[in-house]
Amino acid sequence: MQTIPVKRTGPVLKPDSGRVMIRPFLLDSRERVRGILERAMTLDDGQVHTALKTAREEFAERHIDIEEILLRHARKARVVASFTGELSRERELLIGSYFTSEYALESAALFNPSIVPAPDQSGVPEGSLAFIMSLRATGEGHIS
């Protein structure tokens, strides 16, 4: 098989975290949600503070009003699990982070490239080839 020299030119595909949306992550089992909430209650305040700091660092750069979103998701989880009781703001925010996920609108993976020569090669420099390429894009949750 003949080797074809390739020179990389043109656009480079890079991720854009501005194209990520945030959404609730709720399980379909009341017992599983309750189990997660109960485990969150076993953390001491220092552990809660440290884990929440990490969650804030993960989400805050990409999302506006992240704390309000986390509180809303925590309230939904508490309703699903019929979980009552007073919680500190930090613990409530951490619980909200447990029930929050992100979704890449454009894709999480590009694969299965197909390349064919373009039917119109006019204006292409000698030794070059214009081509048409298609890719399969799969979003998070394996939606393609």
Side-chain angles (χ1 to χ4, degrees):
M1 178 150 68
Q2 180 183 3
T3 303
I4 301 171
V6 175
K7 177 182 170 192
R8 295 184 185 272
T9 62
V12 175
L13 302 175
K14 293 186 178 182
D16 178 358
S17 63
R19 313 264 317 156
V20 175
M21 71 177 207
I22 198 162
R23 63 184 183 178
F25 175 71
L26 288 178
L27 303 167
D28 58 355
S29 164
R30 177 183 176 273
E31 291 74 28
R32 288 180 65 195
V33 172
R34 187 163 192 79
I36 292 168
L37 291 170
E38 288 171 352
R39 284 193 300 277
M41 297 306 294
T42 67
L43 300 173
D44 66 41
D45 290 344
Q47 291 171 309
V48 169
H49 180 78
T50 300
L52 179 58
K53 182 179 181 220
T54 300
R56 280 182 171 135
E57 289 168 358
E58 284 290 317
F59 288 128
E61 202 174 283
R62 292 183 298 277
H63 305 289
I64 299 170
D65 295 330
I66 187 61
E67 288 197 1
E68 181 55 40
I69 293 166
L70 296 180
L71 290 172
R72 190 170 53 240
H73 294 175
R75 285 190 295 270
K76 287 179 182 181
R78 290 178 68 172
V79 167
V80 167
S82 301
F83 194 88
T84 58
E86 291 296 315
L87 298 175
S88 70
R89 181 175 175 86
E90 278 200 333
R91 194 172 303 267
E92 188 90 13
L93 288 166
L94 181 61
I95 287 169
S97 75
Y98 292 164
F99 295 97
T100 299
S101 66
E102 294 180 301
Y103 183 81
L105 296 171
E106 292 173 332
S107 69
L110 295 173
F111 52 94
N112 293 353
S114 296
I115 298 174
V116 296
D120 181 5
Q121 294 290 322
S122 59
V124 175
E126 187 174 330
S128 298
L129 175 73
F131 61 88
I132 299 170
M133 180 171 78
S134 70
L135 298 165
R136 180 168 178 215
T138 300
E140 293 190 26
H142 307 290
I143 300 168
S144 65

